[in-house]
Amino acid sequence: MIKFINIFKIFIVLLFLSNTTFANNHFPITTDSKMMIKRGKILYEQNCASCHMINLSGAKNWKGVDEDGHRKAPPLNGTGHAWHHDDKTLHGIIKYGLAKLVKNYEGKMMGFGDKLSDKEIDSVLAYIKSFWSKENYEYQLKLN
């Protein structure tokens, strides 16, 4: 029952984030700019790779919990669930973090809004999307 409640809380946060508006509409985020992807790679390696791994594969046995009982970092390379979410939601998760938004959240995803600008977060997302299959990328673009 507790697991269901936590999943429900995450769903509510994702729903909230998908309805959040930003000062300027910078979505959809595409992989059209090689410079944006290069910048995103550097930022990803500096801020995300320690949990989501350098190759975006996520933590080993990512669907489980770590020794502290926290959810592990999922893969971002298209084999996880990130591509199921629109850009507003993904941007919001990176900026605000789930741990700050969901009471008793069982993961360690803290927001990076104090470290990364919106433009830098978009670059990280462009880099992440560059790993996705064409089908996943096109599906996700339609969500935007």
Side-chain angles (χ1 to χ4, degrees):
M1 182 66 176
I2 291 174
K3 192 172 193 174
F4 173 77
I5 291 170
N6 287 331
I7 291 170
F8 181 73
K9 288 178 183 177
I10 292 171
F11 173 76
I12 296 298
V13 168
L14 292 176
L15 185 64
F16 167 78
L17 288 174
S18 69
N19 291 322
T20 302
T21 57
F22 294 91
N24 56 7
N25 185 0
H26 43 105
F27 308 120
I29 299 165
T30 67
T31 57
D32 296 340
S33 169
K34 291 182 185 201
M35 190 58 156
M36 190 173 181
I37 292 171
K38 286 180 183 180
R39 184 173 47 244
K41 179 180 191 240
I42 293 166
L43 294 165
Y44 175 89
E45 289 173 353
Q46 293 172 344
N47 297 282
C48 314
S50 62
C51 295
H52 292 279
M53 303 300 121
I54 196 76
N55 63 357
L56 290 80
S57 64
K60 188 175 182 174
N61 301 316
W62 68 274
K63 290 184 180 179
V65 294
D66 65 14
E67 60 277 355
D68 296 330
H70 294 100
R71 305 282 316 153
K72 295 180 182 179
L76 301 173
N77 60 8
T79 62
H81 53 76
W83 62 274
H84 292 101
H85 304 296
D86 63 42
D87 288 341
K88 282 185 182 181
T89 301
L90 295 174
H91 185 99
I93 290 169
I94 295 170
K95 185 171 185 168
Y96 303 111
L98 288 174
K100 292 179 183 175
L101 298 172
V102 179
K103 186 177 179 181
N104 299 320
Y105 171 65
E106 296 178 351
K108 295 180 179 178
M109 178 60 187
M110 301 305 279
F112 289 87
D114 59 336
K115 294 181 181 180
L116 301 173
S117 69
D118 286 339
K119 186 175 180 179
E120 289 172 325
I121 292 171
D122 290 350
S123 294
V124 169
L125 285 170
Y127 173 67
I128 290 169
K129 289 181 177 194
S130 74
F131 280 76
W132 296 352
S133 70
K134 181 180 177 183
E135 293 80 18
N136 289 0
Y137 175 75
E138 289 176 356
Y139 171 87
Q140 196 273 343
L141 279 180
K142 289 178 184 176
L143 296 175
N144 297 294

